[in-house]
Amino acid sequence: MITGVHTMFYSSKPEELRIFIRDKLGFSSTDVGEGWLIFDLPDAEMGCHPAGPEEGKSSGTPDISFYCDDIKKTVADLKSRGVEFTDGITDAGYGLVTHFKMPGDFQVQLYQPRYKRGANKNKGTDHQEKLAGLWTCLSGINDGKALPEDIVKQLKLTLTKDRYKTEKGQVVLFDGIYKIDASQRPRHIDITAPEGEQAGKTSKGIYALEGETLRMCYANADKDRPKDFESKPGSGVTLVAWKRGK
């Protein structure tokens, strides 16, 4: 039985393209060896298009494009990450369309469809199930400064379907609630303190699940969500890498 669709970009710059898809487009991935990343696709669809001279493509031609809910917002976000667009947004009938460059001489379509599709209601739930469990810390950077190794070794994270708890050895550092939006790029995570001095305040972040590794980058409570997986001095942003525990 077919369980999914595997897509492929053949590039003369595969390493650069993998980094572009991971860091610029924000796709999580699994490293299957020697830096070969297989990227997770949160949603997909397939169409069959007429071919011929008037259509611009010959029969037997495959095509890959990306779609979004708000093309103006998505273009602005990708440009802020350094993505180069080759044209402006135009109306193609089936939706609003533009194109951007990727390493290896690709010009890829981005569009906001006019048609409505049935949403995958279980998408967020499925991803929360993937996140659930015990995680041990691999590395951490806070406000541009790396956490000492002896601290890193003591940190652990426990996730359930809605609870988020961090501990340093036997000491609970934070015990709150969280929610995710797996449809965003990068994926969003919001962590909220239910009680104490920070009660009701939310730290907005992004995350990427790559095999058995979870990367998270989040801002101080009630500050803007980070756009990239980095923590610069003075940013107040924390970047942590976790490895799934046993």
Side-chain angles (χ1 to χ4, degrees):
M1 175 181 287
I2 294 175
T3 59
V5 175
H6 182 89
T7 61
M8 185 77 76
F9 285 105
Y10 286 86
S11 173
S12 60
K13 300 178 179 179
E15 292 84 6
E16 291 182 32
L17 181 56
R18 290 167 190 153
I19 293 172
F20 179 94
I21 295 174
R22 184 191 67 189
D23 296 344
K24 301 296 186 183
L25 302 187
F27 283 78
S28 60
S29 62
T30 299
D31 190 330
V32 297
E34 300 182 354
W36 190 295
L37 304 181
I38 300 298
F39 293 94
D40 300 324
L41 298 181
D43 191 20
E45 62 183 23
M46 183 184 298
C48 300
H49 201 284
E54 67 281 1
E55 301 294 342
K57 292 190 177 182
S58 59
S59 185
T61 303
D63 186 74
I64 300 174
S65 59
F66 297 103
Y67 54 87
C68 60
D69 295 324
D70 186 330
I71 195 167
K72 291 183 179 179
K73 181 179 178 181
T74 303
V75 167
D77 180 54
L78 291 177
K79 282 184 175 180
S80 73
R81 300 169 184 272
V83 176
E84 181 182 352
F85 282 79
T86 60
D87 54 13
I89 299 172
T90 58
D91 190 335
Y94 59 86
L96 301 177
V97 174
T98 186
H99 299 81
F100 62 87
K101 291 183 178 181
M102 297 203 309
D105 302 319
F106 290 103
Q107 179 174 273
V108 180
Q109 177 181 260
L110 172 71
Y111 75 102
Q112 177 184 332
R114 281 208 166 87
Y115 53 86
K116 299 295 182 182
R117 300 175 57 238
N120 183 350
K121 297 181 180 179
N122 295 321
K123 187 189 305 177
T125 302
D126 290 345
H127 224 251
Q128 281 183 287
E129 291 178 353
K130 291 180 180 179
L131 294 179
L134 174 65
W135 300 84
T136 57
C137 192
L138 291 173
S139 63
I141 304 174
N142 177 251
D143 204 30
K145 297 180 179 179
L147 297 181
E149 187 175 350
D150 62 321
I151 299 296
V152 168
K153 290 180 178 179
Q154 298 181 65
L155 296 177
K156 59 183 178 181
L157 168 67
T158 303
L159 296 175
T160 65
K161 66 177 182 179
D162 58 0
R163 302 292 298 189
Y164 181 106
K165 183 172 70 173
T166 54
E167 298 170 90
K168 177 186 173 185
Q170 301 300 315
V171 179
V172 176
L173 301 177
F174 180 86
D175 190 359
I177 58 176
Y178 79 101
K179 63 179 181 179
I180 63 172
D181 185 348
S183 67
Q184 298 296 324
R185 285 290 172 270
R187 293 184 168 102
H188 288 187
I189 182 168
D190 292 340
I191 308 163
T192 303
E195 55 189 25
E197 294 182 0
Q198 299 293 314
K201 293 187 176 181
T202 297
S203 292
K204 299 176 182 178
I206 55 178
Y207 75 94
L209 181 61
E210 301 166 343
E212 298 298 295
T213 302
L214 172 63
R215 290 191 298 152
M216 298 181 60
C217 188
Y218 54 88
N220 287 334
D222 296 334
K223 299 299 182 180
D224 292 339
R225 189 186 312 278
K227 293 183 178 180
D228 299 294
F229 290 93
E230 60 181 5
S231 173
K232 297 180 179 179
S235 65
V237 169
T238 299
L239 174 64
V240 188
W242 303 93
K243 181 179 181 180
R244 189 178 294 280
K246 297 181 179 178

